Amino acid sequence: MLVSPGPPLLLLCTLLTLTRCSELKVRVRLADGHITEEVLEADSEQDSITLEFKQADGTLITFVADFKQDVKIFRALILGELERGQSQYQALCFITRLNHNEIIPSESMARLRQKNPHTIRAAEEKRAMETVSMNVAVNLTRAWQLSTHLYNTCSMAHEAVYTREADVRHWLDTGVEGSMFEILPQGVEVPDLQSCRSVKDLWQPCSCSYSLRLEWYPCLLKYCRNRDATGRGTPYKCGIKSCSKGYNFTYYTPHKHLCLWEEET
C-alpha cells in the first residue's frame, strides 16, 4: 500500500481552473489500522468546512469549522447496544471556539483537488492530544446564536450537547444569551463522582470520557515564490500542510448507561 503525506499530490486549484472544487475525498489509515475515507466539504458562501468519516466500529464522526462564528463542532454518532437497552444510535456533540490557523480557510479548501485518489494519506504533522473538560450543557433550541450549523449537526444529540466554561465566558462577553447554558455538576457538588470506567452501577452518575482523532486535515497553506526578471520574489499559494489531531472530551453524565464504551478501554 502506498502511504503519502499529501503534497505534492494535493494541490490548490488555480484561478484558471474552470471547475471550482468543493468536495475532497481522502483515504486515511486510522490508529487501529482500519482504512477509511474522509469526505471534506467546503462552503465558501457559508464560510465553513465539514469533515466526516466512519470508524471501524461504525461510529460516524463529523467535524464542522464555522469561520463566520469562530466555532468548531464535533459530533459522534455511535451505534447503540440494543441488547443493553440503548437506542439504535447515541449522539454526542462538543462545541468549542475555533482558533485562527487551526485549519485552512474555506475558500482555499474549496480549491483543493487530488491527483491520486487511491493513495492512503498520512498527515505530515501529528499534533498532541488535547484533553477538554466539557462542563457546560447547551440548550440546542437556542444554540443558533453560536452557529447556524449547530441545530442540523447536533439535533440527534438532544441533551448531550456540551461546551466548556472558558468558551461560555467569551460568548457571553459577545452578547450571546446566557439561558442556553447550564453548568453541569462538578466534583464539589458530587463528592463521590468517579470515572465511568470504575463505576459498576449502570444508573450511577459518573465522569465520562470520549476520544476521537481527526486523522488528516489541511492545517496550513504553503507558499512558494516566483522570481521576476529583477530577481524579486512574489509569493503564491502552492500547496497545503496536513495535520492529525486527537481530542479527549470529559463530561458529566447522569448514568453510566450513556457511557458504555468506557468498559472497553
mmCIF file of all heavy atoms in Angstrom, residues 10-47:
data_model
loop_
_atom_site.group_PDB
_atom_site.id
_atom_site.type_symbol
_atom_site.label_atom_id
_atom_site.label_comp_id
_atom_site.label_asym_id
_atom_site.label_seq_id
_atom_site.Cartn_x
_atom_site.Cartn_y
_atom_site.Cartn_z
ATOM 1 N N LEU A 10 -1.559 16.671 -3.486
ATOM 2 C CA LEU A 10 -2.711 17.518 -3.224
ATOM 3 C C LEU A 10 -2.327 18.953 -3.559
ATOM 4 O O LEU A 10 -1.390 19.495 -3.005
ATOM 5 C CB LEU A 10 -3.126 17.424 -1.753
ATOM 6 C CG LEU A 10 -3.947 16.182 -1.459
ATOM 7 C CD1 LEU A 10 -3.773 15.775 -0.016
ATOM 8 C CD2 LEU A 10 -5.399 16.443 -1.744
ATOM 9 N N LEU A 11 -3.019 19.561 -4.496
ATOM 10 C CA LEU A 11 -2.662 20.881 -4.994
ATOM 11 C C LEU A 11 -3.821 21.840 -4.861
ATOM 12 O O LEU A 11 -4.974 21.436 -4.728
ATOM 13 C CB LEU A 11 -2.255 20.776 -6.478
ATOM 14 C CG LEU A 11 -1.159 19.762 -6.813
ATOM 15 C CD1 LEU A 11 -1.027 19.663 -8.314
ATOM 16 C CD2 LEU A 11 0.156 20.160 -6.186
ATOM 17 N N LEU A 12 -3.523 23.122 -4.917
ATOM 18 C CA LEU A 12 -4.570 24.132 -4.958
ATOM 19 C C LEU A 12 -4.970 24.385 -6.392
ATOM 20 O O LEU A 12 -4.127 24.547 -7.270
ATOM 21 C CB LEU A 12 -4.058 25.444 -4.340
ATOM 22 C CG LEU A 12 -3.950 25.447 -2.816
ATOM 23 C CD1 LEU A 12 -3.139 26.670 -2.391
ATOM 24 C CD2 LEU A 12 -5.309 25.496 -2.191
ATOM 25 N N CYS A 13 -6.277 24.388 -6.655
ATOM 26 C CA CYS A 13 -6.752 24.755 -7.981
ATOM 27 C C CYS A 13 -6.366 26.201 -8.255
ATOM 28 O O CYS A 13 -6.478 27.052 -7.377
ATOM 29 C CB CYS A 13 -8.274 24.638 -8.060
ATOM 30 S SG CYS A 13 -8.904 22.998 -7.724
ATOM 31 N N THR A 14 -5.912 26.494 -9.446
ATOM 32 C CA THR A 14 -5.559 27.861 -9.788
ATOM 33 C C THR A 14 -6.809 28.631 -10.171
ATOM 34 O O THR A 14 -7.884 28.065 -10.377
ATOM 35 C CB THR A 14 -4.579 27.879 -10.974
ATOM 36 O OG1 THR A 14 -5.272 27.405 -12.128
ATOM 37 C CG2 THR A 14 -3.370 27.006 -10.715
ATOM 38 N N LEU A 15 -6.679 29.933 -10.285
ATOM 39 C CA LEU A 15 -7.811 30.771 -10.655
ATOM 40 C C LEU A 15 -8.279 30.484 -12.068
ATOM 41 O O LEU A 15 -9.378 30.854 -12.461
ATOM 42 C CB LEU A 15 -7.422 32.256 -10.523
ATOM 43 C CG LEU A 15 -7.143 32.712 -9.089
ATOM 44 C CD1 LEU A 15 -6.678 34.164 -9.112
ATOM 45 C CD2 LEU A 15 -8.361 32.568 -8.217
ATOM 46 N N LEU A 16 -7.426 29.806 -12.862
ATOM 47 C CA LEU A 16 -7.796 29.494 -14.237
ATOM 48 C C LEU A 16 -8.633 28.221 -14.319
ATOM 49 O O LEU A 16 -9.176 27.898 -15.360
ATOM 50 C CB LEU A 16 -6.528 29.337 -15.100
ATOM 51 C CG LEU A 16 -5.651 30.596 -15.212
ATOM 52 C CD1 LEU A 16 -4.399 30.267 -16.019
ATOM 53 C CD2 LEU A 16 -6.416 31.731 -15.881
ATOM 54 N N THR A 17 -8.722 27.485 -13.215
ATOM 55 C CA THR A 17 -9.494 26.244 -13.225
ATOM 56 C C THR A 17 -10.971 26.558 -13.421
ATOM 57 O O THR A 17 -11.533 27.398 -12.742
ATOM 58 C CB THR A 17 -9.309 25.489 -11.895
ATOM 59 O OG1 THR A 17 -7.909 25.281 -11.699
ATOM 60 C CG2 THR A 17 -10.013 24.152 -11.935
ATOM 61 N N LEU A 18 -11.598 25.860 -14.348
ATOM 62 C CA LEU A 18 -12.993 26.150 -14.663
ATOM 63 C C LEU A 18 -13.941 25.574 -13.620
ATOM 64 O O LEU A 18 -14.965 26.158 -13.297
ATOM 65 C CB LEU A 18 -13.337 25.596 -16.049
ATOM 66 C CG LEU A 18 -12.587 26.262 -17.204
ATOM 67 C CD1 LEU A 18 -12.956 25.573 -18.514
ATOM 68 C CD2 LEU A 18 -12.933 27.745 -17.294
ATOM 69 N N THR A 19 -13.607 24.381 -13.086
ATOM 70 C CA THR A 19 -14.477 23.737 -12.111
ATOM 71 C C THR A 19 -14.001 24.056 -10.706
ATOM 72 O O THR A 19 -12.877 23.763 -10.357
ATOM 73 C CB THR A 19 -14.470 22.197 -12.309
ATOM 74 O OG1 THR A 19 -14.863 21.917 -13.630
ATOM 75 C CG2 THR A 19 -15.415 21.540 -11.333
ATOM 76 N N ARG A 20 -14.844 24.662 -9.917
ATOM 77 C CA ARG A 20 -14.480 25.003 -8.544
ATOM 78 C C ARG A 20 -14.699 23.780 -7.656
ATOM 79 O O ARG A 20 -15.791 23.252 -7.582
ATOM 80 C CB ARG A 20 -15.332 26.173 -8.056
ATOM 81 C CG ARG A 20 -14.944 26.659 -6.654
ATOM 82 C CD ARG A 20 -15.682 27.937 -6.342
ATOM 83 N NE ARG A 20 -15.303 28.466 -5.054
ATOM 84 C CZ ARG A 20 -14.195 29.161 -4.815
ATOM 85 N NH1 ARG A 20 -13.357 29.392 -5.799
ATOM 86 N NH2 ARG A 20 -13.916 29.632 -3.615
ATOM 87 N N CYS A 21 -13.624 23.328 -6.988
ATOM 88 C CA CYS A 21 -13.719 22.131 -6.157
ATOM 89 C C CYS A 21 -14.390 22.456 -4.834
ATOM 90 O O CYS A 21 -14.073 23.458 -4.215
ATOM 91 C CB CYS A 21 -12.321 21.573 -5.885
ATOM 92 S SG CYS A 21 -11.334 21.333 -7.370
ATOM 93 N N SER A 22 -15.329 21.632 -4.380
ATOM 94 C CA SER A 22 -15.984 21.861 -3.093
ATOM 95 C C SER A 22 -15.972 20.611 -2.229
ATOM 96 O O SER A 22 -16.235 20.681 -1.048
ATOM 97 C CB SER A 22 -17.427 22.324 -3.297
ATOM 98 O OG SER A 22 -18.156 21.339 -4.001
ATOM 99 N N GLU A 23 -15.648 19.465 -2.802
ATOM 100 C CA GLU A 23 -15.600 18.218 -2.037
ATOM 101 C C GLU A 23 -14.298 17.489 -2.339
ATOM 102 O O GLU A 23 -13.850 17.424 -3.470
ATOM 103 C CB GLU A 23 -16.782 17.321 -2.390
ATOM 104 C CG GLU A 23 -16.791 16.018 -1.594
ATOM 105 C CD GLU A 23 -17.952 15.113 -1.946
ATOM 106 O OE1 GLU A 23 -19.042 15.322 -1.407
ATOM 107 O OE2 GLU A 23 -17.763 14.206 -2.779
ATOM 108 N N LEU A 24 -13.693 16.971 -1.288
ATOM 109 C CA LEU A 24 -12.441 16.231 -1.417
ATOM 110 C C LEU A 24 -12.580 14.925 -0.644
ATOM 111 O O LEU A 24 -13.024 14.926 0.511
ATOM 112 C CB LEU A 24 -11.293 17.062 -0.839
ATOM 113 C CG LEU A 24 -9.878 16.487 -0.979
ATOM 114 C CD1 LEU A 24 -9.434 16.512 -2.435
ATOM 115 C CD2 LEU A 24 -8.907 17.293 -0.131
ATOM 116 N N LYS A 25 -12.249 13.808 -1.269
ATOM 117 C CA LYS A 25 -12.293 12.507 -0.611
ATOM 118 C C LYS A 25 -10.866 12.003 -0.446
ATOM 119 O O LYS A 25 -10.112 11.934 -1.411
ATOM 120 C CB LYS A 25 -13.135 11.511 -1.425
ATOM 121 C CG LYS A 25 -14.610 11.898 -1.473
ATOM 122 C CD LYS A 25 -15.426 10.872 -2.225
ATOM 123 C CE LYS A 25 -16.908 11.264 -2.237
ATOM 124 N NZ LYS A 25 -17.741 10.282 -2.961
ATOM 125 N N VAL A 26 -10.518 11.659 0.786
ATOM 126 C CA VAL A 26 -9.148 11.286 1.118
ATOM 127 C C VAL A 26 -9.148 9.970 1.884
ATOM 128 O O VAL A 26 -9.888 9.815 2.865
ATOM 129 C CB VAL A 26 -8.477 12.380 1.981
ATOM 130 C CG1 VAL A 26 -7.066 11.967 2.372
ATOM 131 C CG2 VAL A 26 -8.454 13.708 1.254
ATOM 132 N N ARG A 27 -8.346 9.011 1.428
ATOM 133 C CA ARG A 27 -8.223 7.734 2.137
ATOM 134 C C ARG A 27 -7.150 7.864 3.206
ATOM 135 O O ARG A 27 -6.042 8.338 2.951
ATOM 136 C CB ARG A 27 -7.863 6.614 1.157
ATOM 137 C CG ARG A 27 -8.912 6.379 0.080
ATOM 138 C CD ARG A 27 -8.510 5.220 -0.819
ATOM 139 N NE ARG A 27 -8.713 3.932 -0.168
ATOM 140 C CZ ARG A 27 -7.935 2.866 -0.367
ATOM 141 N NH1 ARG A 27 -6.896 2.939 -1.186
ATOM 142 N NH2 ARG A 27 -8.197 1.725 0.241
ATOM 143 N N VAL A 28 -7.491 7.455 4.432
ATOM 144 C CA VAL A 28 -6.551 7.553 5.543
ATOM 145 C C VAL A 28 -6.556 6.254 6.343
ATOM 146 O O VAL A 28 -7.528 5.500 6.322
ATOM 147 C CB VAL A 28 -6.893 8.737 6.479
ATOM 148 C CG1 VAL A 28 -6.805 10.050 5.738
ATOM 149 C CG2 VAL A 28 -8.276 8.572 7.103
ATOM 150 N N ARG A 29 -5.449 6.027 7.059
ATOM 151 C CA ARG A 29 -5.367 4.868 7.943
ATOM 152 C C ARG A 29 -5.565 5.348 9.382
ATOM 153 O O ARG A 29 -4.836 6.223 9.859
ATOM 154 C CB ARG A 29 -4.013 4.177 7.812
ATOM 155 C CG ARG A 29 -3.952 2.807 8.524
ATOM 156 C CD ARG A 29 -2.531 2.248 8.524
ATOM 157 N NE ARG A 29 -1.999 2.152 7.175
ATOM 158 C CZ ARG A 29 -2.239 1.145 6.327
ATOM 159 N NH1 ARG A 29 -3.028 0.150 6.722
ATOM 160 N NH2 ARG A 29 -1.709 1.124 5.121
ATOM 161 N N LEU A 30 -6.564 4.788 10.073
ATOM 162 C CA LEU A 30 -6.839 5.162 11.450
ATOM 163 C C LEU A 30 -5.835 4.502 12.399
ATOM 164 O O LEU A 30 -5.071 3.624 11.994
ATOM 165 C CB LEU A 30 -8.267 4.772 11.828
ATOM 166 C CG LEU A 30 -9.369 5.371 10.938
ATOM 167 C CD1 LEU A 30 -10.744 4.881 11.394
ATOM 168 C CD2 LEU A 30 -9.315 6.898 10.948
ATOM 169 N N ALA A 31 -5.854 4.905 13.663
ATOM 170 C CA ALA A 31 -4.896 4.394 14.638
ATOM 171 C C ALA A 31 -4.989 2.881 14.805
ATOM 172 O O ALA A 31 -3.990 2.216 15.096
ATOM 173 C CB ALA A 31 -5.110 5.090 15.978
ATOM 174 N N ASP A 32 -6.190 2.304 14.601
ATOM 175 C CA ASP A 32 -6.367 0.854 14.749
ATOM 176 C C ASP A 32 -6.002 0.087 13.479
ATOM 177 O O ASP A 32 -6.188 -1.131 13.402
ATOM 178 C CB ASP A 32 -7.804 0.529 15.153
ATOM 179 C CG ASP A 32 -8.835 1.026 14.132
ATOM 180 O OD1 ASP A 32 -8.430 1.530 13.068
ATOM 181 O OD2 ASP A 32 -10.048 0.905 14.406
ATOM 182 N N GLY A 33 -5.472 0.794 12.471
ATOM 183 C CA GLY A 33 -5.063 0.154 11.219
ATOM 184 C C GLY A 33 -6.146 0.135 10.163
ATOM 185 O O GLY A 33 -5.881 -0.164 8.994
ATOM 186 N N HIS A 34 -7.379 0.448 10.561
ATOM 187 C CA HIS A 34 -8.503 0.457 9.619
ATOM 188 C C HIS A 34 -8.349 1.600 8.622
ATOM 189 O O HIS A 34 -7.999 2.717 8.995
ATOM 190 C CB HIS A 34 -9.814 0.608 10.407
ATOM 191 C CG HIS A 34 -11.035 0.688 9.547
ATOM 192 N ND1 HIS A 34 -11.535 -0.387 8.853
ATOM 193 C CD2 HIS A 34 -11.867 1.736 9.276
ATOM 194 C CE1 HIS A 34 -12.627 -0.023 8.202
ATOM 195 N NE2 HIS A 34 -12.847 1.268 8.431
ATOM 196 N N ILE A 35 -8.603 1.309 7.344
ATOM 197 C CA ILE A 35 -8.543 2.346 6.312
ATOM 198 C C ILE A 35 -9.952 2.858 6.048
ATOM 199 O O ILE A 35 -10.880 2.068 5.853
ATOM 200 C CB ILE A 35 -7.915 1.801 5.009
ATOM 201 C CG1 ILE A 35 -6.453 1.436 5.270
ATOM 202 C CG2 ILE A 35 -7.994 2.838 3.889
ATOM 203 C CD1 ILE A 35 -5.787 0.692 4.124
ATOM 204 N N THR A 36 -10.114 4.156 6.094
ATOM 205 C CA THR A 36 -11.420 4.758 5.872
ATOM 206 C C THR A 36 -11.296 5.919 4.901
ATOM 207 O O THR A 36 -10.185 6.316 4.541
ATOM 208 C CB THR A 36 -12.041 5.241 7.209
ATOM 209 O OG1 THR A 36 -13.406 5.587 7.009
ATOM 210 C CG2 THR A 36 -11.301 6.449 7.758
ATOM 211 N N GLU A 37 -12.424 6.451 4.498
ATOM 212 C CA GLU A 37 -12.432 7.584 3.579
ATOM 213 C C GLU A 37 -12.991 8.810 4.283
ATOM 214 O O GLU A 37 -14.099 8.784 4.802
ATOM 215 C CB GLU A 37 -13.281 7.265 2.339
ATOM 216 C CG GLU A 37 -13.273 8.385 1.298
ATOM 217 C CD GLU A 37 -14.079 8.025 0.054
ATOM 218 O OE1 GLU A 37 -15.323 8.050 0.132
ATOM 219 O OE2 GLU A 37 -13.467 7.704 -0.972
ATOM 220 N N GLU A 38 -12.201 9.845 4.324
ATOM 221 C CA GLU A 38 -12.678 11.121 4.833
ATOM 222 C C GLU A 38 -13.302 11.905 3.686
ATOM 223 O O GLU A 38 -12.777 11.922 2.583
ATOM 224 C CB GLU A 38 -11.527 11.952 5.396
ATOM 225 C CG GLU A 38 -10.989 11.488 6.725
ATOM 226 C CD GLU A 38 -9.939 12.437 7.270
ATOM 227 O OE1 GLU A 38 -9.615 13.446 6.606
ATOM 228 O OE2 GLU A 38 -9.426 12.169 8.361
ATOM 229 N N VAL A 39 -14.418 12.560 3.971
ATOM 230 C CA VAL A 39 -15.038 13.452 2.997
ATOM 231 C C VAL A 39 -14.953 14.861 3.569
ATOM 232 O O VAL A 39 -15.472 15.135 4.653
ATOM 233 C CB VAL A 39 -16.512 13.070 2.728
ATOM 234 C CG1 VAL A 39 -17.134 14.046 1.734
ATOM 235 C CG2 VAL A 39 -16.595 11.640 2.189
ATOM 236 N N LEU A 40 -14.252 15.737 2.851
ATOM 237 C CA LEU A 40 -14.112 17.128 3.277
ATOM 238 C C LEU A 40 -14.879 18.012 2.315
ATOM 239 O O LEU A 40 -14.675 17.942 1.099
ATOM 240 C CB LEU A 40 -12.640 17.550 3.296
ATOM 241 C CG LEU A 40 -11.730 16.762 4.256
ATOM 242 C CD1 LEU A 40 -10.988 15.670 3.494
ATOM 243 C CD2 LEU A 40 -10.717 17.693 4.905
ATOM 244 N N GLU A 41 -15.789 18.815 2.854
ATOM 245 C CA GLU A 41 -16.592 19.706 2.027
ATOM 246 C C GLU A 41 -16.394 21.146 2.485
ATOM 247 O O GLU A 41 -16.384 21.426 3.683
ATOM 248 C CB GLU A 41 -18.082 19.342 2.116
ATOM 249 C CG GLU A 41 -18.410 17.981 1.514
ATOM 250 C CD GLU A 41 -19.904 17.696 1.538
ATOM 251 O OE1 GLU A 41 -20.637 18.482 2.161
ATOM 252 O OE2 GLU A 41 -20.327 16.696 0.949
ATOM 253 N N ALA A 42 -16.236 22.035 1.513
ATOM 254 C CA ALA A 42 -16.094 23.455 1.808
ATOM 255 C C ALA A 42 -17.276 24.207 1.228
ATOM 256 O O ALA A 42 -17.701 23.952 0.107
ATOM 257 C CB ALA A 42 -14.789 23.982 1.215
ATOM 258 N N ASP A 43 -17.803 25.137 2.010
ATOM 259 C CA ASP A 43 -18.891 26.009 1.563
ATOM 260 C C ASP A 43 -18.394 27.440 1.696
ATOM 261 O O ASP A 43 -18.343 27.994 2.795
ATOM 262 C CB ASP A 43 -20.132 25.784 2.429
ATOM 263 C CG ASP A 43 -21.359 26.532 1.914
ATOM 264 O OD1 ASP A 43 -21.183 27.622 1.339
ATOM 265 O OD2 ASP A 43 -22.484 26.036 2.105
ATOM 266 N N SER A 44 -18.007 28.037 0.572
ATOM 267 C CA SER A 44 -17.441 29.385 0.606
ATOM 268 C C SER A 44 -18.472 30.424 1.017
ATOM 269 O O SER A 44 -18.140 31.400 1.697
ATOM 270 C CB SER A 44 -16.866 29.745 -0.774
ATOM 271 O OG SER A 44 -15.827 28.852 -1.112
ATOM 272 N N GLU A 45 -19.730 30.218 0.627
ATOM 273 C CA GLU A 45 -20.770 31.197 0.975
ATOM 274 C C GLU A 45 -21.053 31.183 2.474
ATOM 275 O O GLU A 45 -21.205 32.229 3.102
ATOM 276 C CB GLU A 45 -22.050 30.912 0.186
ATOM 277 C CG GLU A 45 -21.933 31.233 -1.303
ATOM 278 C CD GLU A 45 -23.265 31.046 -2.022
ATOM 279 O OE1 GLU A 45 -24.282 30.851 -1.334
ATOM 280 O OE2 GLU A 45 -23.269 31.101 -3.260
ATOM 281 N N GLN A 46 -21.130 29.979 3.048
ATOM 282 C CA GLN A 46 -21.366 29.862 4.487
ATOM 283 C C GLN A 46 -20.067 30.048 5.285
ATOM 284 O O GLN A 46 -20.095 30.167 6.508
ATOM 285 C CB GLN A 46 -21.966 28.495 4.817
ATOM 286 C CG GLN A 46 -23.372 28.282 4.296
ATOM 287 C CD GLN A 46 -24.391 29.105 5.066
ATOM 288 O OE1 GLN A 46 -24.281 29.297 6.267
ATOM 289 N NE2 GLN A 46 -25.386 29.619 4.352
ATOM 290 N N ASP A 47 -18.939 30.036 4.573
ATOM 291 C CA ASP A 47 -17.612 30.132 5.185
ATOM 292 C C ASP A 47 -17.422 29.037 6.231
ATOM 293 O O ASP A 47 -17.150 29.301 7.410
ATOM 294 C CB ASP A 47 -17.385 31.513 5.802
ATOM 295 C CG ASP A 47 -15.895 31.817 6.016
ATOM 296 O OD1 ASP A 47 -15.062 31.037 5.514
ATOM 297 O OD2 ASP A 47 -15.585 32.820 6.670
#
